[in-house]
């Protein structure tokens, strides 16, 4: 489920899937739609992206749906779901905050990187595991590289079996702050959102345009990257790897 609630001019978009908050296509579509909706809602000044549960922010793509892909077009369409979420965040006129309370894997790291501020708990380790199943973090690469730099992105991508700590992610610039528990995290998210909501919205919109400078080609770029992943997911290597991961 994905839902939008508004409290004190702050919009909260929360997604929840009992399977470690993995994102099937339907949830990706709903998530991007609600980001666009919140962006045009005059009652919302700041937008928070969060997930339900305590220890997993998002496990990335739904493996069950990856296994079901049978054509390159189906594959491209699935990965375009992550592209749409990242582009929705990029184009959203409101400042966006990610509340990352637990582990973030694959596409989830890209979603976090596409927000302006990312606050986390100490349990919010990150991993780009795509190479372990024969694909790569192609769609999320522009957002992550933009946030943490090419060297750190390369390390994450190639060391695809390792979870990197929340402190590592903070040192690389993905997380702005790391908190000991969810209560402290929630207080920090609330305080930050309220502070940002008091700023001049016209100034924030102008700042947003500066911060996303030179990303105007991302609509096409991320679609091209989705097509690459859509083909690779059909490779014998990936088909066999997905079977192993489901055992």
């Amino acid at each position: 489920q994905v839902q939008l609630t508004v409290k004190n001019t702050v919009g909260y978009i929360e997604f929840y899937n009992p399977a470690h908050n993995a994102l099937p296509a339907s949830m990706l579509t709903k998530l991007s739609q609600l980001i666009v909706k919140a962006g045009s809602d005059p009652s919302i000044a700041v937008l928070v992206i969060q997930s339900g549960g305590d220890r997993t922010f998002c496990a990335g793509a739904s493996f069950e749906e990856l296994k079901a892909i049978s054509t390159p077009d189906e594959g491209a369409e699935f990965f375009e779901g992550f592209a749409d979420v990242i582009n929705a965040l990029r184009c959203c006129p409101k400042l966006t905050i990610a509340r990352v309370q637990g582990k973030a894997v694959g596409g989830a790291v890209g979603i976090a990187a596409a927000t302006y501020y990312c606050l986390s708990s100490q349990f919010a380790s990150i991993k780009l595991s795509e190479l372990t199943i024969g694909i790569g973090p192609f769609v999320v690469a522009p957002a992550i590289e933009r946030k943490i730099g090419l060297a750190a992105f390369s390390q994450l991508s190639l060391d695809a079996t390792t979870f990197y700590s929340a402190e590592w992610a903070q040192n690389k610039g993905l997380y702005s702050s790391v908190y000991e528990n969810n209560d402290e995290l929630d207080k920090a998210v609330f305080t930050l959102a309220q502070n940002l909501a008091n700023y001049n919205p016209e100034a924030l919109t102008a700042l947003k345009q500066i911060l996303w400078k030179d990303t105007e080609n991302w609509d096409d770029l991320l679609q091209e990257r989705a097509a690459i992943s859509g083909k690779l997911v059909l490779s014998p290597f990936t088909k066999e790897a997905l079977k192993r991961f489901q055992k």
Side-chain angles (χ1 to χ4, degrees):
Q1 65 181 32
V2 188
Q3 60 184 10
L4 168 65
T5 57
V6 182
K7 301 176 183 177
N8 298 323
T9 74
V10 178
Y12 295 84
I13 294 180
E14 180 171 303
F15 60 91
Y16 178 68
N17 182 352
H20 302 289
N21 284 323
L23 290 170
S26 60
M27 290 180 67
L28 288 168
T29 298
K30 184 67 172 179
L31 186 55
S32 60
Q33 289 175 343
L34 286 182
I35 293 170
V36 172
K37 178 182 178 181
S40 62
D41 188 336
S43 71
I44 295 175
V46 178
L47 185 60
V48 176
I49 308 297
Q50 60 187 26
S51 67
D54 293 330
R55 288 293 177 90
T56 303
F57 172 67
C58 176
S62 165
F63 274 22
E64 287 302 315
E65 290 201 3
L66 289 178
K67 289 172 62 178
I69 293 171
S70 60
T71 68
D73 286 345
E74 288 180 3
E77 183 178 0
F78 176 82
F79 288 103
E80 283 172 7
F82 283 99
D84 289 343
V85 173
I86 290 173
N87 276 323
L89 288 167
R90 177 178 65 89
C91 296
C92 183
K94 312 297 172 67
L95 285 190
T96 52
I97 301 169
R99 171 194 178 270
V100 185
Q101 84 283 14
K103 291 181 177 179
V105 179
V109 183
I111 292 173
T115 61
Y116 292 95
Y117 267 97
C118 197
L119 305 183
S120 84
S121 78
Q122 64 175 320
F123 306 107
S125 54
I126 62 174
K127 179 168 70 170
L128 292 181
S129 59
E130 285 87 344
L131 283 178
T132 64
I133 59 171
I135 57 177
F138 303 116
V139 172
V140 297
I144 299 172
E145 182 182 340
R146 174 181 166 274
K147 182 72 78 169
I148 68 174
L150 179 60
F153 169 70
S154 298
Q155 182 177 350
L156 268 180
S157 300
L158 295 173
D159 191 4
T161 61
T162 298
F163 271 103
Y164 284 80
S165 70
E167 288 73 22
W168 185 92
Q170 182 183 20
N171 288 337
K172 300 303 180 182
L174 177 64
Y175 298 153
S176 299
S177 300
V178 176
Y179 298 90
E180 289 190 6
N181 53 58
N182 286 349
D183 286 341
E184 290 189 9
L185 174 61
D186 288 336
K187 291 176 183 177
V189 169
F190 175 81
T191 300
L192 175 61
Q194 292 300 317
N195 286 341
L196 294 177
N198 290 326
Y199 293 156
N200 181 350
E202 294 181 8
L204 293 178
T205 298
L207 179 60
K208 174 255 176 190
Q209 294 173 346
I210 293 173
L211 294 176
W212 285 103
K213 184 177 181 293
D214 298 328
T215 64
E216 294 82 3
N217 67 326
W218 278 24
D219 284 329
D220 294 331
L221 175 64
L222 299 193
Q223 280 197 347
E224 293 170 2
R225 299 291 183 85
I228 296 172
S229 295
K231 291 179 181 178
L232 286 172
V233 78
L234 296 173
S235 69
F237 184 106
T238 297
K239 288 296 187 183
E240 186 60 33
L242 287 172
K243 291 179 182 178
R244 293 198 305 270
F245 270 77
Q246 291 301 299
K247 290 180 180 179

